[in-house]
Amino acid sequence: MSALQNDRYLRALLKQPVDATPVWMMRQAGRYLPEYRALRAEAGSFMNLCQNPELASEVTLQPLRRFDLDAAILFSDILTIPDAMGLGLRFETGEGPKFDRPITCKADVEKIGVPDPEGELQYVMNAVRQIRKDLQGQVPLIGFSGSPWTLATYMVEGGSSKAFTKIKGMMYSEPATLHLLLDLLANSVTQYLNAQIKAGAQSVMIFDTWGGVLTPRDYREFSLQYMHKIVDGLIRENEGRRVPVTLFTKNGGMWLEAIADTGCDAVGLDWTIEMADAKARIGDRVALQGNMDPSMLYASAERIEQEVAHILAGFGQGSGHVFNLGHGIHLDVPPENAKVFVDAVHRLSQPYHTR
Ligand code: 1CP
């Protein structure tokens, strides 16, 4: 495997010195790029893109050709695990994901098992291997999974949700059933991420998109506890390098200390917290990823640069910051604005890294 030409992203996650702040964007491959829309139309569906290693690799590399990004992220989805568990995943245009056989009771949980990462999910590992080959060491590859809680919301609700009534109903009336499901998911995610690492992912990220809808106590019991268990079970070194782990709970700003306590290397931040506050609270223990509001990419170049400068100043001098958006890039953002953002991070961050 070729040596890494740009390892800023991995170094920043471990607080090792860098020449500029690394940057990537959540959902950097996807519908805001015309070349993605063209390939998706050709492939016929989103899952066809994910299941064909050449297409998944092509889509992963598309944003890297346009922007000076410091990391690539596997093109896949968090819902591959529940799909492999047999829930019957469909992506309906304009409607988001749907499951034909959602989880409604204990008997449903007892019917499903931990999917074999090199069996039902082998297409994901094949995509990782293909992307590593095609990247030729240009930048590191990020593997990922959803958190057990976030995956469970889709499995119990049967798709996307606004109020999470079904899963919260289960949480409060049948907590043991939900814990059984979350434990199964924690085992599945651990095996899935370890298989991605063995296949070539150089860092992994857990997306807890819906942890922020929980009460503080329920967050610890139903989401954080299981992410902690996953972190404990992950391969932390591969190919002679540490494999950093990033945990991202959207709306998790209240719980940063507890998230940092899991033993992760980095905490992902959404835009509802000031970078300077996050740095003061947990910056001595972990690296921070984030956190520009993705809607800032609708603004002028001057406004985007001003916001990048503010966030860089909030983190301050030294390594330990991976710049990102606070959540996924919106699908109608002009790609030129993403370029302004990425270039601004590299240019404006240099003074923070003089040694
Ligand atoms: O129609 C299409 O082309 C499909 C749109 C799409 C894409 C491009 C979906 C369906 N998933 C993806 C890719 C994807 N999903 C990536 C690829 C890598 C990259 O970042 O470039 C990643 C990391 C995800 C992760 C993901 N999927 C999350 C967690 C991160 C987040 O944004 O909060 C979640 C919650 C999903 C579920 C999902 N998959 C797709 C959609 C439309 C959704 C969201 C549905 C909802 O809002 O509930």
Side-chain angles (χ1 to χ4, degrees):
M1 211 91 65
S2 33
L4 259 181
Q5 290 142 40
N6 171 356
D7 63 355
R8 265 186 205 133
Y9 164 78
L10 294 178
R11 294 182 62 85
L13 287 175
L14 302 175
K15 297 167 174 280
Q16 295 164 350
V18 286
D19 59 337
T21 302
V23 55
W24 68 282
M25 296 182 290
M26 286 194 257
R27 297 284 187 103
Q28 63 191 20
R31 286 173 291 182
Y32 74 107
L33 292 177
E35 58 271 34
Y36 171 83
R37 295 195 297 269
L39 203 64
R40 187 188 183 288
E42 224 176 282
S45 76
F46 169 70
M47 283 310 277
N48 284 350
L49 284 181
C50 297
Q51 288 171 348
N52 178 314
E54 282 77 26
L55 294 180
S57 178
E58 170 59 22
V59 170
T60 301
L61 297 182
Q62 282 175 346
L64 300 171
R65 296 192 190 111
R66 275 185 185 256
F67 317 120
D68 188 16
L69 296 159
D70 297 293
I73 180 161
L74 162 69
F75 189 81
S76 189
D77 197 75
I78 63 166
L79 301 177
T80 51
I81 287 181
D83 183 49
M85 287 173 161
L87 272 64
L89 175 64
R90 286 177 289 121
F91 281 99
E92 306 207 325
T93 14
E95 273 192 68
K98 290 266 184 314
F99 285 110
D100 291 327
R101 292 173 289 281
I103 299 289
T104 60
C105 59
K106 188 163 181 228
D108 289 344
V109 181
E110 284 166 344
K111 269 186 263 169
I112 58 176
V114 173
D116 177 1
E118 289 288 358
E120 306 90 282
L121 289 165
Q122 193 173 45
Y123 68 92
V124 179
M125 308 312 144
N126 289 341
V128 171
R129 288 184 274 262
Q130 184 68 43
I131 299 164
R132 267 305 291 278
K133 201 165 131 216
D134 296 345
L135 271 172
Q136 298 184 291
Q138 189 191 333
V139 291
L141 175 62
I142 306 168
F144 72 91
S145 172
S147 71
W149 164 258
T150 291
L151 293 176
T153 65
Y154 289 96
M155 295 168 78
V156 174
E157 300 290 336
S160 302
S161 177
K162 286 210 163 74
F164 301 97
T165 49
K166 294 195 180 88
I167 190 154
K168 288 194 175 185
M170 182 185 278
M171 179 170 77
Y172 292 130
S173 64
E174 262 188 85
T177 298
L178 186 53
H179 278 303
L180 197 66
L181 175 60
L182 292 168
D183 200 60
L184 183 75
L185 284 167
N187 289 334
S188 303
V189 170
T190 305
Q191 292 191 26
Y192 183 59
L193 288 177
N194 280 340
Q196 289 184 32
I197 292 166
K198 286 187 207 149
Q202 289 142 299
S203 150
V204 292
M205 173 155 169
I206 299 175
F207 289 92
D208 187 26
T209 305
W210 303 120
V213 305
L214 291 166
T215 68
R217 279 160 299 140
D218 293 330
Y219 174 69
R220 280 158 211 263
E221 181 177 345
F222 293 93
S223 185
L224 190 63
Q225 178 191 178
Y226 292 97
M227 291 199 282
H228 197 154
K229 203 174 153 186
I230 294 164
V231 172
D232 285 344
L234 287 178
I235 297 170
R236 300 300 278 273
E237 211 177 295
N238 198 40
E239 301 178 37
R241 262 188 111 123
R242 184 155 173 102
V243 182
V245 183
T246 303
L247 299 190
F248 170 69
T249 293
K250 184 151 179 284
N251 261 302
M254 293 87 78
W255 311 318
L256 296 183
E257 292 80 2
I259 300 171
D261 279 343
T262 58
C264 62
D265 298 280
V267 174
L269 308 170
D270 71 16
W271 61 90
T272 62
I273 180 160
E274 277 293 331
M275 182 55 77
D277 294 340
K279 173 86 183 291
R281 284 169 58 188
I282 57 168
D284 55 334
R285 286 193 277 156
V286 290
L288 301 174
Q289 176 177 282
N291 70 341
M292 192 176 85
D293 185 337
S295 295
M296 189 59 71
L297 294 180
Y298 296 118
S300 66
E302 294 69 31
R303 185 67 186 87
I304 293 168
E305 286 165 359
Q306 183 192 12
E307 193 67 12
V308 166
H310 174 81
I311 294 167
L312 287 170
F315 186 85
Q317 207 66 31
S319 186
H321 182 200
V322 171
F323 219 112
N324 205 315
L325 304 172
H327 199 208
I329 187 167
H330 295 304
L331 41 134
D332 55 350
V333 156
E336 312 81 78
N337 294 12
K339 180 167 165 46
V340 168
F341 165 70
V342 170
D343 291 344
V345 172
H346 288 148
R347 193 175 70 253
L348 302 176
S349 65
Q350 281 167 26
Y352 294 101
H353 299 287
T354 45
R355 273 169 272 163

